Amino acid sequence: MTALIRLQGIARRYGRGDTLVRALDDVSLGIDEGEFVAIMGPSGSGKSTCMNLLGCLDTPTDGQYWFRDVDVGQLTADELALLRRHFLGFVFQSFNLLPRVSALQNVELPLVYQGVAPAERRRRALAALATVGLEGRAGAAPSELSGGQQQRVAIARALVSEPPVLLADEPTGNLDTVMSTDIMNRLVQLRTERQLTIIMVTHEPDIARYADRVLLFRDGRLVGDGPPDQVMG
Amino acid sequence: MRAADVLTLAGQAIRRNTLRSFLTTLGIVIGVASVVTMVQLGQSATQSVTERIASIGSNLLFVIPGTAQRGPGNVRATAEPFDLADAQALARDIADVRVAPALNTTVTVVAGNVNDSVPVVGTTNGYFPVRNHPLAYGREFQPGELASGAAVCVIGQTLVEDLFSGREPLGATLRVRPSACQVIGVLSEKGESMGQDRDKIVLMPIKAVQRRLVGQLDVDAIYVSALVDGTTGQVQGQIESLLRQRRHISAGAPDDFYVRDTQDIADALEGTTRTLTLLLGAIATVSLLVGGIGIVNIMLVSVTERTREIGIRLAIGARARDVLMQFLVEAVVLSTLGGLVGLLVGLLATVGATWKLDMPLVLSPAIMALGFGFSVAIGIVFGFVPARKAARLNPIDALRHE
């Protein structure tokens, strides 16, 4: 079985000459279907850059990225958008919900871009909200929800189109411990229910322990890869 | 993305900033309203001119001594005036025409204790058909009255109202300083034309005006109407050669009189109003363009404000063209709404202005369609630049935008 995601000699550089920044340097790795991977490392280690590349939000300067045997580097901007639309769900540290529209409308958004009819859209969005325990708050605006609730709405939005991969960038970064635990338990549960592949950036060891594999970055290089206890010592 | 969803999105964005949306479209509203109003009023003015010219009389030629040259200096003074014999010769020698000589003056007219300064035209019975101004009641001049220059007159409706105020005018005596005349007929109502009340007029036998009021035998103008449609050009040629002969103008020398067709006058006036309409329309179009600039401006601001939103949409799977459509449709909806409101305002303004100015109401579906179409086009053209700016955003940059 081939890997779900394969990176080969990936580099991401910004600027040139004296101001050249090597955000990622010669990174090669593979992630299998169904894995829960935590990407760790200090600030500036390249973990967020790696996440953006994996999410097709950014393009590498060098190297190759295969997603299910598709060479992502060969895809057009529109094809990348379709890849994000159908295969990737995003959860961000700052939730990134659209303000001024309801939780339900936020969750419906990916389906809007898939051209799903309104009634079907609503049904699926309500179901997605129910899986994160927010069926009662469908009409609430993001500003009326707690941070934990907003992140649950974001998870519902990421998963409403049932993508195989969930990309979470510091999903608990803005949450207190109780809410963080709640979010992580939900992610673990969803993963089991849906055979989801989860790739999560975090700098908190406690959060990384929920994953079954940790990728450790330092100065743009991959310096550790293995089970949490082994990598984090 | 479904078309209905794109429209819903645009509607939400517009409603979210109601005041701003209103101010943005105001330029388009004013632009479309002024284009529609200006052009319709212009067409209304043209029609009103045409109607008034028609009311003067169709197939009508004015024969006037002097040259047709306009400008400073009174060329008429140097030209020999016509006399009654000229008018009689035209009537006798040219086939299928009616002729009416005219001698114009203005006198103070008194009836009872009311007096007024009124134009008096000395003429013959030819005046009624030639100038398309028939009698309402009473009678025309009798041949004897015309020959002798009897003190009789036919008056217009305004004078009946002003001087007799309900009393029977027929048979009454009208003092026409320094003379007097007996009213024998009343003209039908004609209304205003070129700012002149055509019902405020006294007609007398031309000889009466010559002898009793002016004291000379001149004729100011000869009106000739062709009885057969489409022959005015031919008649004009006949008049010219006959008058040249009678006035002993040698071959090659210019005419010392001119013949003017009412159609010429109508054409000239219509040309003027049309030019004015075009000019006003052009100015109004400029204001539409200015309205379009307002839309670009606000849409650019809106794209910057919503950069993060665009980033979220891109991350969720929106393609560049989805984002382009979102902002383009928003701009088009804005300008279309402006166009609709502008049409309504323009329609009301046209109705109001024509009613107030007593002009015929001319509604032009063509110009309304054009104005509306233009507003939609402005939305597309001016919405494109901001929409493309939004669509070209890089997802990661957009997401990081504060």
Side-chain angles (χ1 to χ4, degrees):
Chain A
M1 182 183 156
T2 56
L4 170 71
I5 282 170
R6 203 145 50 87
L7 301 185
Q8 187 66 53
I10 287 284
R12 182 69 175 98
R13 295 185 286 272
Y14 302 100
R16 50 172 50 190
D18 289 348
T19 60
L20 182 75
V21 177
R22 295 173 189 275
L24 277 183
D25 198 6
D26 193 22
V27 172
S28 299
L29 58 88
I31 296 171
D32 287 331
E33 207 99 37
E35 274 194 282
F36 186 169
V37 180
I39 299 178
M40 292 199 72
S43 299
S45 63
K47 58 185 193 299
S48 281
T49 304
C50 184
M51 183 62 128
N52 292 334
L53 289 173
L54 288 172
C56 302
L57 295 171
D58 198 3
T59 45
T61 318
D62 251 325
Q64 279 178 302
Y65 171 12
W66 285 276
F67 186 94
R68 282 190 174 163
D69 288 334
V70 172
D71 186 350
V72 174
Q74 302 298 316
L75 299 181
T76 64
D78 277 358
E79 286 166 339
L80 288 175
L82 292 177
L83 184 76
R84 290 195 293 269
R85 185 184 292 182
H86 294 284
F87 296 94
L88 306 175
F90 287 90
V91 174
F92 301 94
Q93 176 177 2
S94 50
F95 320 135
N96 275 341
L97 298 178
L98 292 186
R100 292 182 294 241
V101 302
S102 69
L104 181 68
Q105 282 176 296
N106 264 292
V107 176
E108 278 186 359
L109 206 55
L111 302 178
V112 169
Y113 286 109
Q114 289 186 7
V116 177
E120 165 79 357
R121 213 153 73 195
R122 191 182 159 79
R123 190 185 65 71
R124 285 172 62 182
L126 283 171
L129 278 172
T131 60
V132 293
L134 281 176
E135 56 270 54
R137 305 303 314 267
S143 57
E144 295 163 358
L145 299 171
S146 71
Q149 287 173 325
Q150 288 188 55
Q151 195 59 300
R152 277 147 68 190
V153 172
I155 291 170
R157 182 178 68 184
L159 297 181
V160 71
S161 56
E162 298 180 353
V165 181
L166 180 72
L167 298 170
D169 191 354
E170 306 254 15
T172 58
N174 283 356
L175 302 177
D176 62 26
T177 320
V178 177
M179 286 181 181
S180 296
T181 309
D182 173 56
I183 290 291
M184 289 319 296
N185 285 333
R186 286 178 190 279
L187 284 182
V188 168
Q189 189 193 345
L190 283 166
R191 178 202 172 199
T192 332
E193 282 170 11
R194 303 190 175 199
Q195 283 96 45
L196 205 58
T197 307
I198 299 180
I199 304 170
M200 170 183 75
V201 167
T202 183
H203 60 266
E204 295 169 77
D206 287 348
I207 298 298
R209 278 182 216 285
Y210 284 92
D212 39 37
R213 177 181 170 197
V214 170
L215 300 172
L216 186 63
F217 282 81
R218 186 165 298 140
D219 300 327
R221 290 175 173 274
L222 181 61
V223 295
D225 182 354
D229 291 338
Q230 187 186 321
V231 172
M232 295 187 291
Chain B
M1 208 176 169
R2 298 152 58 96
D5 291 328
V6 182
L7 275 177
T8 309
L9 210 55
Q12 281 174 350
I14 289 166
R15 253 175 291 142
R16 193 171 297 154
N17 272 311
T18 318
L19 180 63
R20 185 205 271 184
S21 303
F22 168 71
L23 292 175
T24 308
T25 50
L26 201 56
I28 298 284
V29 171
I30 293 171
V32 171
S34 47
V35 167
V36 168
T37 312
M38 293 299 175
V39 173
Q40 286 187 155
L41 282 184
Q43 290 179 348
S44 164
T46 308
Q47 183 174 324
S48 123
V49 164
T50 315
E51 278 172 9
R52 283 168 191 189
I53 298 280
S55 79
I56 291 172
S58 49
N59 295 334
L60 177 60
L61 296 166
F62 292 83
V63 188
I64 295 164
T67 57
Q69 240 170 6
R70 279 175 231 175
N74 187 356
V75 280
R76 278 173 74 165
T78 63
E80 197 187 326
F82 298 136
D83 57 27
L84 271 178
D86 292 322
Q88 283 154 4
L90 290 180
R92 188 181 61 235
D93 295 345
I94 300 174
D96 295 326
V97 293
R98 270 203 198 98
V99 175
L103 175 55
N104 303 298
T105 184
T106 302
V107 296
T108 304
V109 166
V110 186
N113 52 3
V114 191
N115 66 68
D116 202 354
S117 182
V118 176
V120 175
V121 181
T123 186
T124 62
N125 284 329
Y127 184 92
F128 306 110
V130 169
R131 295 303 306 266
N132 191 21
H133 202 170
L135 284 174
Y137 53 93
R139 62 171 178 84
E140 297 188 348
F141 305 118
Q142 285 167 356
E145 291 167 344
L146 287 166
S148 64
V152 290
C153 56
V154 171
I155 61 173
Q157 293 281 356
T158 305
L159 292 179
V160 174
E161 284 155 29
D162 289 359
L163 302 177
F164 296 101
S165 53
R167 283 179 290 124
E168 174 59 51
L170 289 186
T173 300
L174 195 65
R175 286 181 59 204
V176 186
R177 281 187 178 145
S179 181
C181 66
Q182 191 191 11
V183 178
I184 57 165
V186 173
L187 290 166
S188 57
E189 196 167 333
K190 200 75 170 168
E192 256 186 50
S193 168
M194 326 257 174
Q196 228 180 323
D197 181 359
R198 298 198 60 217
D199 295 320
K200 189 173 175 180
I201 192 170
V202 175
L203 301 182
M204 292 177 75
I206 187 163
K207 281 187 176 166
V209 175
Q210 287 174 334
R211 276 191 218 136
R212 295 166 193 269
L213 300 181
V214 184
Q216 57 183 32
L217 297 177
D218 297 348
V219 169
D220 284 340
I222 302 172
Y223 305 131
V224 180
S225 75
L227 296 181
V228 183
D229 279 343
T231 58
T232 48
Q234 187 190 329
V235 169
Q236 181 169 351
Q238 289 171 321
I239 294 171
E240 279 163 359
S241 64
L242 184 62
L243 285 179
R244 283 179 74 89
Q245 194 184 323
R246 287 180 62 81
R247 293 160 79 84
H248 309 294
I249 300 169
S250 50
D255 294 344
D256 64 352
F257 63 91
Y258 64 95
V259 182
R260 172 141 296 171
D261 192 337
T262 40
Q263 196 54 47
D264 293 346
I265 302 170
D267 288 349
L269 285 170
E270 258 182 58
T272 313
T273 48
R274 212 162 270 151
T275 310
L276 270 174
T277 305
L278 219 69
L279 208 70
L280 290 171
I283 293 170
T285 307
V286 170
S287 78
L288 245 183
L289 285 176
V290 173
I293 292 168
I295 287 194
V296 187
N297 190 16
I298 277 306
M299 289 305 296
L300 282 174
V301 171
S302 175
V303 168
T304 308
E305 275 180 358
R306 284 148 72 188
T307 300
R308 202 180 170 85
E309 174 193 326
I310 295 165
I312 296 170
R313 290 179 183 279
L314 289 170
I316 276 168
R319 287 168 302 179
R321 80 177 82 139
D322 295 321
V323 174
L324 182 94
M325 280 310 280
Q326 177 186 344
F327 284 90
L328 192 56
V329 167
E330 190 176 322
V332 172
V333 168
L334 266 180
S335 70
T336 304
L337 284 178
L340 282 176
V341 175
L343 273 190
L344 201 70
V345 173
L347 213 61
L348 290 177
T350 309
V351 172
T354 49
W355 178 73
K356 191 87 190 155
L357 298 173
D358 200 17
M359 301 201 311
L361 177 61
V362 180
L363 295 181
S364 164
I367 198 64
M368 289 194 264
L370 193 74
F372 180 68
F374 211 76
S375 71
V376 176
I378 277 185
I380 296 172
V381 172
F382 287 85
F384 186 74
V385 173
R388 197 184 51 173
K389 185 186 168 198
R392 282 188 173 176
L393 284 171
N394 178 319
I396 200 68
D397 294 340
L399 270 174
R400 282 186 189 144
H401 191 265
E402 289 306 316

